[in-house]
Amino acid sequence: MKSARSSRQAQRVLVLSMAPREFATRTRKAAKSYAELGPVIFLSLQGVGRTGKRVSPGVTQEGNVRFHAVRVRNPRTRSGLLTVAWNVAFSYVPALMRMAHRALKSPAAVVHVTGTALAPLALLHKWRHGSHIVLDVNERPGSSGNSGSAFGIAARLEPLTLRILRRQAEIVTVVCRGHADILERHYGFRDIQVVVNGPLRSWAGNFAAPSQSPQERLRIVTIGTVFEHRAFEMMIDAASMAVDSGARLNLDIYGSGSDEYVNTLRARIERNRATDIISLHGPLDNSRVAETYRRGHIGLALYEPSQDNNDSLSNKLLEVVSSGRPVLAGNLTENRRFIEKYDVGILVDVNVESLCAELIKLAQEKPSTEWAAHCFEVGQAELVWEQNFEAVLTRVRSSTVTAARG
């Protein structure tokens, strides 16, 4: 009886995420991949951050994965230290205690944790159940984060957490080679797996050529969380300036954000008298992302260099390329490595003047069908999630077999 119970535990994976599955793209894909091995519990909060992205608390089953969203009291969205203190004390600490209770009642051979904020819970699970830790460092290691939020506190503790996890995590994954270099150089990690955050194999669909009609405006598309430090203000000003200079273009912005911030962007668009060329569409279901990019000519992956954690290889950039469109991306280190290697986009300094100049050039000569097809081919060959995550599954299979024999 004990042997059978140990065998079942050896096949089970617990996935820990701050964000619920609807907004945790990378972690959700990991959970679906683990489901090939056996039952998976995806444990998260029902919502996190000040963007207003929340789901209903409770449990849902999807195939071999059980998703459990833990109830969180609505956080306050105003800025300031008092708001941060209130959110920590009355929203996140109680929710994290409920999450810990549920996690420690869920034996598993493997606990996969995204980021370091939940790393203490993964360590407790290892102590309680002897589980193997898979640590996914999904942003630039040791970055400062957003000091104006509750999770800026966790970011400040990340260097210490990483040093502790160096000896406790059996598998460490990162989104790009540059982040692996940081973990090796500054924190002493040695065995790191780069898992590019590309979409699932079925996500991209079929290639569709962009319109080359000279009468059609250049259509620029950006899809993702609408949040500070992602150059939305600059892009609105640059698009308005480009149109004033004679460029013919449209900018479509999809994504959820806090009402306060979205309203500031809407007011900026109105001040620029650009409501006929710039549209804020709100959130978009993941199943429609690829086709929405393909309605345009080029996608955006703009992050302001003032935030060091913005220097990463975002899933936004990879989704643009995988859908079959080139990307206009900020000239940051990881973007530059990727775009120069694969020739899938244009690098630009993230300021209004540089963005305006690039938009004018693109409006005069839209990205070609051949370039779009090349981007799609790169996505199919290099960016498919399943082939990038296979090395992790191989390691996990080995560890669970060993646990079952033990």
Side-chain angles (χ1 to χ4, degrees), residues 119-190:
L121 180 52
L123 290 168
L124 284 173
H125 196 278
K126 180 175 183 174
W127 172 77
R128 174 69 177 83
H129 297 290
S131 50
H132 299 274
I133 296 177
V134 179
L135 171 65
D136 181 35
V137 183
N138 63 331
E139 292 188 350
R140 185 179 184 274
S143 58
S144 59
N146 185 355
S147 59
S149 71
F151 296 98
I153 299 172
R156 292 179 183 277
L157 295 174
E158 186 182 54
L160 174 62
T161 306
L162 286 172
R163 289 186 175 91
I164 294 171
L165 287 167
R166 181 185 63 180
R167 300 183 181 278
Q168 299 297 323
E170 282 76 15
I171 304 173
V172 179
T173 63
V174 294
V175 300
C176 55
R177 184 66 247 172
H179 292 181
D181 293 342
I182 294 172
L183 287 178
E184 290 171 353
R185 188 166 59 250
H186 296 295
Y187 299 98
F189 287 87
R190 289 292 176 264

Side-chain angles (χ1 to χ4, degrees), residues 31-32 34-35 38-42 60-67:
K32 289 185 175 182
Y34 285 129
V40 178
I41 299 173
F42 185 107
T60 57
Q61 188 81 27
E62 185 177 310
N64 220 14
V65 185
R66 177 176 295 179
F67 295 95

Side-chain angles (χ1 to χ4, degrees), residues 265-314:
L265 297 183
R266 187 169 287 113
R268 196 180 197 96
I269 294 169
E270 292 172 355
R271 285 198 305 272
N272 281 298
R273 300 188 299 277
T275 54
D276 56 334
I277 64 163
I278 303 176
S279 302
L280 292 168
H281 295 280
L284 183 71
D285 187 85
N286 183 64
S287 63
R288 297 177 54 206
V289 170
E291 67 175 85
T292 302
Y293 275 127
R294 284 195 285 266
R295 292 177 195 162
H297 296 94
I298 193 164
L300 296 179
L302 300 177
Y303 297 85
E304 296 174 19
S306 59
Q307 295 282 301
D308 57 4
N309 62 327
N310 279 345
D311 190 9
S312 184
L313 190 59
S314 74

Side-chain angles (χ1 to χ4, degrees), residues 196-214:
V196 176
N197 194 18
L200 294 168
R201 193 179 305 280
S202 60
W203 178 89
N206 299 317
F207 175 71
S211 171
Q212 296 299 319
S213 169

